[in-house]
Amino acid sequence: MVKKNIICKYLILIIALALIVSMIVVFFGTKKEINYSNFHNVGIIEDGKNYNIKIEYPKFNSKKINEKIEKLVNNELKSFKEKCNKLKKTTDFNYELNIQYEITSTDRLYSIHFITYKYLEGAHYERTDSIYYYDYIDNDLINWDNLFKNKKEALEELSILSTAGLKQKYKEYIYSDKTMFEEGVSPIKKNYKYIMFSDNHIEIFFPPYQVAPWSSGDLSLKIGYGDINDILIDKYKGIEEPEKKEPITSYKRKTRDINELKNKKLIALTFDDGPSWKTTRRLLDGLRERDVRVTFFVLGNRVKQMPEIVKKAYDDGHTIGSHTYSHKSFNNLKDEEIKKEVSRTNEEIEKAIGKKTNILRPPYGEYKKSMIKLTGMTFILWSVDPQDWKYKNVEKVYNHIIDNAKDGSIILLHDLYDTSVDAALMAIDKLLEEGYVFVSIEELEKLGKLNLSSGKYYYKIK
Ligand code: NI
């Protein structure tokens, strides 16, 4: 009996160990969508007399690709500012330049898709798309034509695959304008310029007005390598295997007892424009060490690329809110476009953390009250703004926080800059000493300080 018991115990132990090991393998062995080791993110924010600028681009360890990207950014900046100087301001709204990118990688190729939006005059944003392919093994920029064995055959194949795939994926949109669709999928290079290469598939982007009206936004189609390896040159062929589903990892979210927060001096730190691969993770480590909760207002296009960081923030007990999909000023958008910016972001957040968000920070803090109802979200603004994006100076940002923070403050920062992370952590240490408690928006709601179901807006905590 005794022996049997021991064997039983060992068996259970071995099974438990095997389970733990396999969970670890599943969790850490999941292949990342993007290889971050060769680049970091550069952010530019600028508020001029009559304009707002928001630019993001990747900076690589390669002069060749950096020069190309910086040329694009600098040209856009220069021509935009020249135009702003010439234009007299005719509306209440600021002119706007917004450059964002999406990036994917394989074991040798980065695909970098830039979208530039300009709002100068007229009803619509002016949009320009550009794409770069960077082979980081050969340290070379690759022309679209050189990805394929035979350009003509490739286009014919892409056209066949896209026609079928789009019809299946977007039934209702596609038939709203049949002529537009047929022209938009015809086998010409212009229609298939924006192809993103990932480990398990390619994704073709169809900008607005190519296959469907503007209001349907960007449409895209994923195609497995099994269907396209034949047209690719050998170097860029991918693995022909079915897409694996992300493993669902169960994790108990860190929450704290709300009673401990009652009758305390409260501060809500908020971080916009992330997530960012390096700085957000560093910030999360610092927050965890200090057992502090904050709120992240994330951009949908960045959540899509780094859902794992958003999930990590959420699991650590922080609140995730929306900062819209692409950071365009609401004042320059039509109702339908605003709704799309919000719904796309909410979808990405829900995909990343498994929970919906109902709070939003409008880009640049610009909005009209009617937009609160339109989006169905509660708007969270701020009462303390150290302008960290402008100064990028630890001491200056730190001093501004210390000098202005008081019970009930909502503080605006950006988790894009190392200087902001350092200043935030220093300020947290100082203010903790002074007896403040740092709380997330969710905790404030639990404390009855904010009502998030009412579609209101808040600049500070009541
Ligand atoms: Ni912002």
Side-chain angles (χ1 to χ4, degrees):
M1 264 318 260
V2 176
K3 254 191 186 166
K4 229 180 182 176
N5 247 338
I6 291 172
I7 292 168
C8 257
K9 271 183 190 162
Y10 273 117
L11 254 178
I12 289 168
L13 205 72
I14 288 164
I15 290 168
L17 267 173
L19 264 174
I20 291 167
V21 168
S22 61
M23 273 164 74
I24 290 170
V25 168
V26 168
F27 186 72
F28 290 100
T30 315
K31 209 167 185 187
K32 269 207 315 287
E33 280 255 337
I34 302 159
N35 177 355
Y36 287 96
S37 55
N38 296 305
F39 76 95
H40 66 270
N41 188 66
V42 180
I44 301 174
I45 307 178
E46 205 179 307
D47 290 347
K49 222 174 22 198
N50 61 352
Y51 62 79
N52 300 121
I53 292 171
K54 176 90 169 76
I55 296 174
E56 282 186 42
Y57 64 90
K59 193 163 178 138
F60 288 85
N61 310 321
S62 154
K63 213 174 151 195
K64 233 181 200 170
I65 176 86
N66 288 345
E67 274 175 0
K68 192 94 184 163
I69 291 174
E70 277 157 15
K71 198 174 158 197
L72 167 98
V73 170
N74 291 334
N75 285 347
E76 290 288 1
L77 255 176
K78 203 175 146 220
S79 79
F80 176 76
K81 282 191 182 174
E82 276 169 10
K83 276 184 194 147
C84 284
N85 282 333
K86 277 186 207 144
L87 284 168
K88 270 204 187 123
K89 218 177 143 184
T90 50
T91 62
D92 296 340
F93 310 139
N94 279 340
Y95 301 123
E96 207 182 329
L97 172 66
N98 176 306
I99 304 180
Q100 18 150 335
Y101 69 96
E102 301 219 351
I103 190 164
T104 58
S105 68
T106 65
D107 54 11
R108 73 176 303 144
L109 191 71
Y110 281 100
S111 315
I112 312 139
H113 178 196
F114 282 96
I115 307 178
T116 303
Y117 292 99
K118 266 172 284 187
Y119 180 84
L120 284 155
E121 283 168 312
H124 261 308
Y125 273 90
E126 200 183 299
R127 167 173 169 156
T128 342
D129 288 64
S130 3
I131 193 155
Y132 298 106
Y133 296 105
Y134 170 50
D135 182 327
Y136 62 99
I137 304 293
D138 292 347
N139 187 23
D140 207 1
L141 280 156
I142 306 299
N143 279 330
W144 187 96
D145 293 39
N146 297 337
L147 296 165
F148 302 102
K149 277 193 243 168
N150 175 313
K151 190 179 149 188
K152 192 169 170 277
E153 279 169 23
L155 285 169
E156 270 157 18
E157 189 62 29
L158 288 169
S159 173
I160 292 166
L161 290 167
S162 301
T163 308
L166 286 169
K167 277 183 182 172
Q168 198 192 6
K169 187 174 169 192
Y170 299 104
K171 292 172 188 93
E172 70 277 31
Y173 290 129
I174 294 312
Y175 290 111
S176 67
D177 191 333
K178 230 181 155 192
T179 323
M180 187 190 277
F181 176 71
E182 274 161 13
E183 278 171 22
V185 292
S186 63
I188 51 172
K189 184 177 163 186
K190 185 177 85 141
N191 287 341
Y192 298 100
K193 262 174 87 178
Y194 309 109
I195 303 179
M196 306 292 282
F197 288 76
S198 295
D199 280 328
N200 301 314
H201 59 259
I202 63 158
E203 188 168 14
I204 309 175
F205 279 87
F206 303 92
Y209 280 137
Q210 184 180 325
V211 292
W214 177 278
S215 57
S216 47
D218 278 87
L219 304 186
S220 73
L221 189 66
K222 284 183 187 169
I223 297 174
Y225 283 104
D227 287 327
I228 51 138
N229 268 345
D230 282 349
I231 58 172
L232 293 171
I233 68 162
D234 287 346
K235 268 202 261 193
Y236 303 122
K237 282 190 192 341
I239 314 154
E240 297 186 20
E241 59 176 356
E243 292 265 321
K244 280 196 199 88
K245 283 237 166 98
E246 292 275 309
I248 299 162
T249 50
S250 61
Y251 181 94
K252 193 160 174 353
R253 194 178 178 217
K254 264 176 87 181
T255 48
R256 52 185 176 181
D257 184 2
I258 218 72
N259 290 314
E260 286 170 22
L261 308 174
K262 279 181 181 155
N263 305 318
K264 293 269 169 66
K265 294 191 288 182
L266 303 175
I267 291 180
L269 276 178
T270 62
F271 293 89
D272 287 12
D273 294 12
S276 178
W277 186 249
K278 273 189 193 146
T279 39
T280 308
R281 286 193 305 174
R282 201 159 73 77
L283 175 64
L284 288 174
D285 290 342
L287 297 173
R288 201 176 309 120
E289 269 169 36
R290 291 160 178 83
D291 199 23
V292 157
R293 303 290 188 279
V294 304
T295 301
F296 291 93
F297 289 100
V298 292
L299 290 173
N301 69 44
R302 302 185 64 86
V303 179
K304 190 180 167 193
Q305 306 206 12
M306 299 168 236
E308 60 272 60
I309 300 186
V310 181
K311 176 74 162 70
K312 200 170 184 183
Y314 178 75
D315 286 344
D316 278 356
H318 306 299
T319 297
I320 310 298
S322 163
H323 195 35
T324 75
Y325 195 81
S326 52
H327 207 281
K328 292 174 206 150
S329 169
F330 276 1
N331 285 341
N332 292 335
L333 294 179
K334 290 180 178 160
D335 284 2
E336 278 311 304
E337 292 168 329
I338 291 176
K339 280 203 218 157
K340 193 116 203 167
E341 281 279 318
V342 175
S343 64
R344 275 180 94 184
T345 310
N346 289 357
E347 280 163 26
E348 292 299 337
I349 291 175
E350 195 176 352
K351 253 193 267 169
I353 68 171
K355 193 179 169 277
K356 285 187 169 58
T357 184
N358 53 1
I359 55 169
L360 181 140
R361 172 160 289 160
Y364 309 104
E366 291 179 351
Y367 68 99
K368 288 194 231 86
K369 280 190 187 153
S370 60
M371 293 164 186
I372 300 172
K373 209 174 163 197
L374 177 78
T375 58
M377 307 285 278
T378 297
F379 285 15
I380 307 288
L381 285 303
W382 59 85
S383 57
V384 177
D385 179 7
Q387 295 194 285
D388 58 328
W389 51 269
K390 190 170 172 181
Y391 296 116
K392 295 190 188 114
N393 176 310
V394 178
E395 209 182 329
K396 211 159 182 162
V397 174
Y398 168 81
N399 285 336
H400 187 102
I401 299 173
I402 299 301
D403 294 345
N404 294 282
K406 53 181 188 222
D407 185 18
S409 292
I410 300 179
I411 301 175
L412 167 65
L413 287 163
H414 298 81
D415 50 328
L416 292 181
Y417 313 110
D418 278 316
T419 46
S420 303
V421 173
D422 290 335
L425 296 177
M426 271 170 65
I428 289 170
D429 288 338
K430 174 80 176 151
L431 294 166
L432 284 173
E433 271 172 34
E434 292 176 14
Y436 284 97
V437 173
F438 291 88
V439 285
S440 69
I441 297 296
E442 272 172 281
E443 288 176 327
L444 287 168
E445 187 188 28
K446 282 187 196 148
L447 286 165
K449 303 276 179 189
L450 304 173
N451 182 354
L452 302 184
S453 58
S454 61
K456 286 184 177 162
Y457 63 99
Y458 295 96
Y459 283 87
K460 52 185 197 286
I461 308 154
K462 261 188 273 181

